[in-house]
Amino acid sequence: KQDGDQLIIDAGQKQFGATTCSSCGMVYSADNPEDNFQHTQFHQRFLDSIKFVGWKKERVVAEFWDGKILLVMPDDPKYAIKKAEDVRRVADNELGFQQVTLSRPTQAKTYLFINTERLVVGCLVAEPIRQAYRVLEQPDRHKDMTKDDFMERHRAWCCSTVPEQALCGISRIWVFSLARRQGIATRMLDTVRSTFMYGSHLTKEEIAFSDPTPDGKLFATKYSNT
Ligand code: ACO
Ligand code: ZN
């Protein structure tokens, strides 16, 4: 019985051949020439985008055993702005955002998490805001996610119609797929709270997520309650 089950599993893997690239994290089918081509196209461009060579001036706002967080401001040198843009483009691409421009580029602060392998594995863009609409809890409709998975994951979340006071809007938050669930997003947000407004520590309520994805909502819900 056990052997039979194993055979079926092997056959399935052979047929679909899903592989996760251990450097770029892309999931693709190695047996499929078109998939292979797409991976090759993506791989180097992605790694170039997140590669961090070190800067003459780095605004280090937090340090950890497994990396550090740099803050990039709108008036920083070109090389810093360019790296922030490159990583933001990678994040936007994954989030399916079309336009890369920010709503208020002159006030946006970009936080980059650099790991010990000199890769930018986290990116967060924070902008000053006055008010925000709270995301409302959704009843659990995820009971059996099959082919509606895609629709479900891209559904617009329900927002309250009553604006609430907020000071800092998170317009993007992204962590490299192979570096998730290691507290990188949590540490970036904690750092935003202590460094976004000079001389004051923001509460969790004073931070708002713009238009969160399902991943973003799961993370935000957890973050707000802890
Ligand atoms: N599913 C369930 N719970 C989650 C998930 C998830 N996918 N991600 C985070 N959490 C919860 C967990 O409780 C987690 O704690 P645990 O690992 O001890 O269980 C807690 O949040 C803290 O998670 P972190 O490790 O700090 O989060 P991470 O570094 O993995 O980053 C993020 C989370 C940014 C959402 C990441 O999954 C990501 O980049 N996703 C793709 C891009 C995306 O959707 N970004 C949000 C867009 S919304 C916006 O930009 C405003
Ligand atoms: Zn790859």
Side-chain angles (χ1 to χ4, degrees):
K1 177 120 211 293
Q2 189 109 31
D3 288 351
D5 288 347
Q6 195 57 50
L7 265 177
I8 291 164
I9 292 164
D10 288 349
Q13 278 169 344
K14 206 159 205 138
Q15 197 178 343
F16 302 113
T19 309
T20 304
C21 176
S22 58
S23 338
C24 76
M26 180 171 169
V27 181
Y28 67 104
S29 165
D31 309 331
N32 181 326
E34 202 175 309
D35 256 35
N36 259 318
F37 176 72
Q38 281 200 343
H39 171 240
T40 317
Q41 293 276 91
F42 175 82
H43 186 94
Q44 201 51 49
R45 199 161 26 103
F46 176 84
L47 291 176
D48 285 344
S49 301
I50 68 165
K51 185 173 74 190
F52 181 78
V53 293
W55 298 338
K56 230 187 299 172
K57 276 193 192 164
E58 293 177 4
R59 194 181 291 102
V60 181
V61 286
E63 279 186 287
F64 308 97
W65 67 274
D66 58 345
K68 61 184 173 187
I69 298 177
L70 302 188
L71 169 58
V72 179
M73 307 271 269
D75 291 325
D76 280 355
K78 272 237 175 67
Y79 55 80
I81 300 289
K82 182 170 186 305
K83 182 52 59 175
E85 270 172 9
D86 285 353
V87 178
R88 216 174 60 226
R89 195 170 293 118
V90 161
D92 283 359
N93 190 30
E94 197 176 320
L95 289 167
F97 286 6
Q98 294 304 321
Q99 64 180 130
V100 181
T101 51
L102 297 168
S103 50
R104 298 161 84 184
T106 55
Q107 304 204 62
K109 294 182 178 165
T110 304
Y111 293 79
L112 302 175
F113 191 107
I114 320 285
N115 74 5
T116 49
E117 289 163 68
R118 293 178 159 250
L119 298 175
V120 185
V121 293
C123 173
L124 183 158
V125 180
E127 295 172 278
I129 52 168
R130 292 224 187 79
Q131 54 186 30
Y133 299 89
R134 199 162 291 279
V135 177
L136 300 176
E137 281 300 331
Q138 299 275 295
D140 189 12
R141 283 181 305 209
H142 297 248
K143 279 293 170 289
D144 52 3
M145 286 208 285
T146 47
K147 68 166 182 265
D148 292 332
D149 206 1
F150 182 84
M151 288 308 293
E152 193 67 44
R153 287 177 64 89
H154 289 76
R155 184 192 301 278
W157 297 97
C158 232
C159 282
S160 129
T161 51
V162 188
E164 293 176 48
Q165 157 122 27
L167 296 168
C168 172
I170 307 300
S171 69
R172 311 272 198 298
I173 181 163
W174 169 88
V175 172
F176 178 30
S177 62
L178 299 177
R180 287 182 194 159
R181 306 303 288 269
Q182 296 168 23
I184 290 176
T186 301
R187 287 180 277 166
M188 286 199 294
L189 263 184
D190 288 345
T191 304
V192 168
R193 285 168 56 204
S194 59
T195 61
F196 185 75
M197 277 181 79
Y198 185 74
S200 78
H201 192 98
L202 299 176
T203 64
K204 289 180 179 174
E205 288 70 37
E206 287 167 329
I207 290 194
F209 292 80
S210 73
D211 213 3
T213 58
D215 268 357
K217 190 178 181 271
L218 286 166
F219 166 75
T221 307
K222 178 72 197 302
Y223 186 82
S224 311
N225 296 329
T226 48

